């Protein structure tokens, strides 16, 4: 299957389809699939020449930089490379979390926070999971005899049920060509994770079940972010 991406108007797609048939490429024409998306709002033309990606990125970078300077908890540490990474994640996550047919309104200020459903929030939780592991590895041989009583608590069970849905979520996203399906899943996962997160629990190498639990979440988050083009990084 070949995909032709354009705005909601499908006239260009129809012209391409007819042209291929006239050129005796009807087999190729019938393999085409029109993929539409909504309007982009929030930025006006610059000097009558349109808006460059660098203009959009610059506004997100400025907003994220302001957030980092005011961040008393120092959720993220690093230099220019960290700033660029977070800015790109903030921009892309906002774009990818909107359904294709929905209109996207760019709002750099709204995304420059590690709270709520933002790209910075995903990076924040991914970093927390990596730091929580602190280099410890899961001894798979010991999992069979591990204590799983923690999963009798409803909050932990909710996270497990959501983790089990990940393969189906990925398939659904590919079938519908909707990146927003995966983003919504990741945001839901971090929301449930906050209910079972123990900030004081550091000695995970002595708690195999807890270590494996966090490691599975970290891996699912990494896979999900990479699938939609985000770059999960330890930014601390």
């Amino acid at each position: 299957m070949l995909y032709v991406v354009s705005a909601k108007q499908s006239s260009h797609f129809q012209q391409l389809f007819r042209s291929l048939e006239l050129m005796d490429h009807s087999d190729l024409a019938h393999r085409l699939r029109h993929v539409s998306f909504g309007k982009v709002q929030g930025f006006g033309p610059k000097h009558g020449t349109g808006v460059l990606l660098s203009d959009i990125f610059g506004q997100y970078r400025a907003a994220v930089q302001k957030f980092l300077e005011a961040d008393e908890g120092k959720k993220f540490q690093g230099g220019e490379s960290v700033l660029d990474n977070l800015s790109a994640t903030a921009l892309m996550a906002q774009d990818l979390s909107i359904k294709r047919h929905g209109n996207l309104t760019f709002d750099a200020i709204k995304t420059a926070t590690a709270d709520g459903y933002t790209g910075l929030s995903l990076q924040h939780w991914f970093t927390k999971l990596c730091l929580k592991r602190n280099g410890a590895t899961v001894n798979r041989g010991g999992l069979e005899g591990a204590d799983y009583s923690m999963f009798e608590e409803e909050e932990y069970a909710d996270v497990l049920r959501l983790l089990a849905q990940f393969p189906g979520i990925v398939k659904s996203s590919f079938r519908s060509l909707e990146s927003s399906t995966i983003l919504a899943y990741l945001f839901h996962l971090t929301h449930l994770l906050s209910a079972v997160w123990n900030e004081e629990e550091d000695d995970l190498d002595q708690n195999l079940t807890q270590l494996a639990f966090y490691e599975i979440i970290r891996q699912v988050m990494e896979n999900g972010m990479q699938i939609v083009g985000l770059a999960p990084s330890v930014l601390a």
Side-chain angles (χ1 to χ4, degrees):
M1 184 67 68
L2 303 176
Y3 298 98
V4 178
V5 181
S6 70
K8 288 183 176 179
Q9 295 292 334
S10 61
S11 57
H12 294 299
F13 172 78
Q14 294 171 354
Q15 291 174 7
L16 176 60
F17 185 90
R18 287 195 294 268
S19 297
L20 287 172
E21 286 196 319
L22 290 173
M23 292 186 293
D24 200 25
H25 290 301
S26 59
D27 57 331
L28 180 59
H30 288 284
R31 291 174 58 197
L32 293 178
R33 177 178 174 185
H34 181 247
V35 180
S36 62
F37 56 88
K39 295 180 180 180
V40 176
Q41 303 169 332
F43 287 94
K46 182 179 180 182
H47 308 304
T49 60
V51 180
L52 299 176
L53 178 58
S54 57
D55 298 326
I56 299 175
F57 181 76
Q59 292 201 26
Y60 278 75
R61 195 178 192 277
V64 172
Q65 184 174 23
K66 186 176 181 179
F67 161 75
L68 294 178
E69 291 172 350
D71 180 23
E72 296 181 357
K74 294 303 176 187
K75 295 180 174 65
F76 305 102
Q77 301 177 27
E80 293 295 309
S81 61
V82 170
L83 175 58
D84 288 341
N85 186 309
L86 290 175
S87 303
T89 300
L91 171 58
M92 292 177 63
Q94 185 183 36
D95 186 2
L96 296 169
S97 62
I98 303 297
K99 288 185 178 295
R100 283 193 297 107
H101 293 286
N103 295 333
L104 168 62
T105 301
F106 283 115
D107 188 342
I109 302 301
K110 183 178 179 180
T111 65
T113 176
D115 300 321
Y117 297 156
T118 67
L120 270 62
S121 175
L122 294 179
Q123 286 284 20
H124 176 53
W125 276 108
F126 183 78
T127 294
K128 285 167 71 76
L129 286 163
C130 292
L131 294 179
K132 176 75 77 173
R133 184 179 56 171
N134 194 26
T137 58
V138 178
N139 177 13
R140 295 180 179 274
L143 287 175
E144 184 174 349
D147 179 11
Y148 295 103
S149 58
M150 57 181 276
F151 297 118
E152 295 176 1
E153 299 181 28
E154 191 62 27
E155 292 82 1
Y156 283 94
D158 286 342
V159 178
L160 284 183
R161 281 190 284 265
L162 186 61
L163 289 171
Q165 296 173 24
F166 183 63
I169 291 293
V170 173
K171 290 181 180 179
S172 175
S173 177
F174 273 94
R175 282 197 300 265
S176 61
L177 301 179
E178 284 284 3
S179 61
S180 61
T181 302
I182 293 180
L183 264 296
Y185 173 87
L186 293 176
F187 289 142
H188 190 193
L189 179 59
T190 57
H191 175 72
L192 293 183
L193 175 59
S194 64
V196 298
W197 187 260
N198 186 345
E199 201 70 51
E200 306 300 324
E201 188 177 36
D202 295 325
D203 197 14
L204 285 183
D205 59 336
Q206 301 299 319
N207 188 335
L208 181 59
T209 306
Q210 196 80 38
L211 174 61
F213 177 66
Y214 285 141
E215 174 57 17
I216 292 171
I217 299 174
R218 185 207 64 78
Q219 187 64 67
V220 168
M221 283 197 65
E222 180 177 349
N223 292 347
M225 292 174 71
Q226 287 181 340
I227 286 172
V228 296
L230 301 179
S233 304
V234 182
L235 305 177

